[in-house]
Amino acid sequence: MNGNATTRHSNVALLSVASTIAPRITTSEEIDRQLQPVLSRLRLPKRLLQRVAGVQERRNWNPDQGFDDAAVSAGKRALAQAGIDPSQVGLLINTSVTRKHLEPSVAVRIHHGLGLPSSATNFDIANACLGFVNGMTLAAQLIDSGQITYAVVIDGEDADEIQTNTIDRLGREGINRTDFMSEFASLTLGSGAAAAVLGPADAHPEGHRMLGGVTRAATEFNALCVGSVDGMFTDARALLKGGMELVVSAWTEARRDWNWSNMDRYIVHQVSDVHTNALLKATGMDRSKVPLTYPTYGNVGPASIPITLAQEAPALARGNRVLLMGVGSGLNTAMMEILW
């Protein structure tokens, strides 16, 4: 039995994608200096973030900036690029992991900030780092069904608090090597925002057709990466193993319906050198076709895929085949093909 859920879209195009890059740079060298006492006490080598994760720096917001304001900024630019007036939008999906409170949704703040009409349905989708791809799939299905004409999928992330809390906690007495490594991934996180506008392909021949893709779950691994604003706690070895098994099984069974062995670009979730190298080895993807943003932006959660796509978009040519690939804690994976 095929473990993948397959989706095909008949008349949906990606009209635009835009990002907001957080302005403040926090280098891994700065974090190394803050953690020097605990690194020395635990006899851990310097430059772990650079050598193991490949993260040289990450971005953070200025004190007067918020992740939701940054998302609104990305959304306004995406709408302008697509030539779509806010009054035409029928759906807003926010996929941010970051949230200031449990309710109301983050989507209502962004809906108001974008000036969307009261008829535009709006809500949050939370599925860890996979949320943006899931949001695009759901929006595309509603466009195909004729329920809406245009949709905005949006995400804003703020890693500042978790970064500060993690560094403070790791500096306390009693922290051992196991504790340190379980929180290591928190130090790779970065802040940023992105937005995409989707609409009917037949009305927008200039758009980029969304063809469809697959999803697959391995929820037996639901406890391997658990995060909150206090910190993200990860069994890195087991998470990498389970994640690669999930991706490979989805990739292998997708061959029945899709041919993704020679895409023009692979826009993957941006995690680290370790994860990227394992993914390339497992799938046989051409490294030159996999653009990376985590070395300078860190892991920006669900925003990492659209941020990377927005950065790569100027280099894409008409007719290029692009595959979005994500894995989210839990575990879930999704792959989506776009014909540029």
Side-chain angles (χ1 to χ4, degrees):
M1 181 179 179
N2 193 325
N4 291 348
T6 300
T7 303
R8 288 190 179 274
H9 306 304
S10 60
N11 187 35
V12 185
L14 173 66
L15 305 184
S16 65
V17 58
S19 64
T20 303
I21 305 302
R24 184 162 55 88
I25 298 174
T26 303
T27 67
S28 292
E29 288 185 357
E30 292 176 58
I31 293 177
D32 280 346
R33 285 195 293 270
Q34 295 180 70
L35 293 174
Q36 186 54 48
V38 68
L39 290 172
S40 298
R41 181 171 62 80
L42 298 178
R43 297 182 179 179
L44 288 168
K46 297 179 180 179
R47 297 181 57 80
L48 274 175
L49 285 164
Q50 298 93 318
R51 292 190 298 105
V52 176
V55 176
Q56 307 299 320
E57 58 191 44
R58 75 282 297 134
R59 297 301 184 100
N60 296 102
W61 302 115
N62 287 326
D64 61 341
Q65 292 178 300
F67 74 94
D68 45 2
D69 292 324
V72 169
S73 174
K76 287 181 176 179
R77 281 179 282 111
L79 285 168
Q81 290 172 21
I84 303 302
D85 189 88
S87 64
Q88 298 175 271
V89 176
L91 173 67
L92 170 76
I93 299 178
N94 168 69
T95 69
S96 306
V97 170
T98 302
R99 56 194 315 114
K100 295 177 181 177
H101 34 62
L102 292 177
E103 60 177 42
S105 69
V106 177
V108 296
R109 165 70 181 87
I110 298 174
H111 181 283
H112 177 69
L114 290 177
L116 301 185
S118 60
S119 57
T121 302
N122 62 96
F123 50 82
D124 294 346
I125 283 183
N127 196 18
C129 294
L130 200 59
F132 203 94
V133 179
N134 292 151
M136 291 179 70
T137 298
L138 178 57
Q141 290 169 334
L142 289 171
I143 292 170
D144 264 339
S145 72
Q147 298 299 307
I148 61 169
T149 305
Y150 297 104
V152 176
V153 183
I154 202 161
D155 188 282
E157 303 298 340
D158 187 345
D160 290 29
E161 187 173 0
I162 188 173
Q163 192 179 97
T164 300
N165 290 341
T166 299
I167 293 172
D168 288 347
R169 185 167 44 251
L170 292 178
R172 297 172 186 170
E173 290 295 326
I175 293 292
N176 57 36
R177 279 192 173 218
T178 300
D179 297 330
F180 187 96
M181 295 313 297
S182 74
E183 297 198 56
F184 180 74
S186 299
L187 302 174
T188 69
L189 300 177
S191 303
V197 177
L198 282 60
D202 57 3
H204 293 274
E206 78 284 0
H208 316 295
R209 292 197 70 121
M210 295 171 55
L211 302 183
V214 301
T215 62
R216 191 183 183 102
T219 53
E220 64 270 27
F221 299 122
N222 66 84
L224 294 183
C225 182
V226 179
S228 69
V229 293
D230 291 327
M232 186 169 69
F233 303 89
T234 303
D235 182 339
R237 189 182 300 273
L239 186 66
L240 179 62
K241 182 177 183 295
M244 285 305 104
E245 289 175 355
L246 176 64
V247 169
V248 170
S249 59
W251 176 269
T252 301
E253 291 190 7
R255 292 173 184 162
R256 188 188 68 177
D257 303 295
W258 305 91
N259 179 15
W260 292 329
S261 61
N262 191 29
M263 306 295 287
D264 294 290
R265 294 293 193 285
Y266 297 94
I267 308 296
V268 304
H269 176 43
Q270 303 289 308
V271 184
S272 69
D273 280 352
V274 173
H275 288 78
T276 302
N277 292 338
L279 178 64
L280 295 178
K281 181 179 179 181
T283 61
M285 291 188 298
D286 183 344
R287 182 179 293 272
S288 67
K289 297 179 179 180
V290 184
L292 302 178
T293 55
Y294 65 79
T296 52
Y297 298 154
N299 177 353
V300 198
S304 68
I305 286 179
I307 285 175
T308 306
L309 180 60
Q311 181 168 295
E312 191 67 13
L316 294 173
R318 195 74 179 169
N320 279 170
R321 297 176 65 205
V322 179
L323 187 67
L324 310 186
M325 300 179 65
V327 179
S329 299
L331 289 165
N332 288 287
T333 188
M335 305 172 190
M336 173 188 290
E337 180 174 353
I338 299 173
L339 181 62
W340 208 259

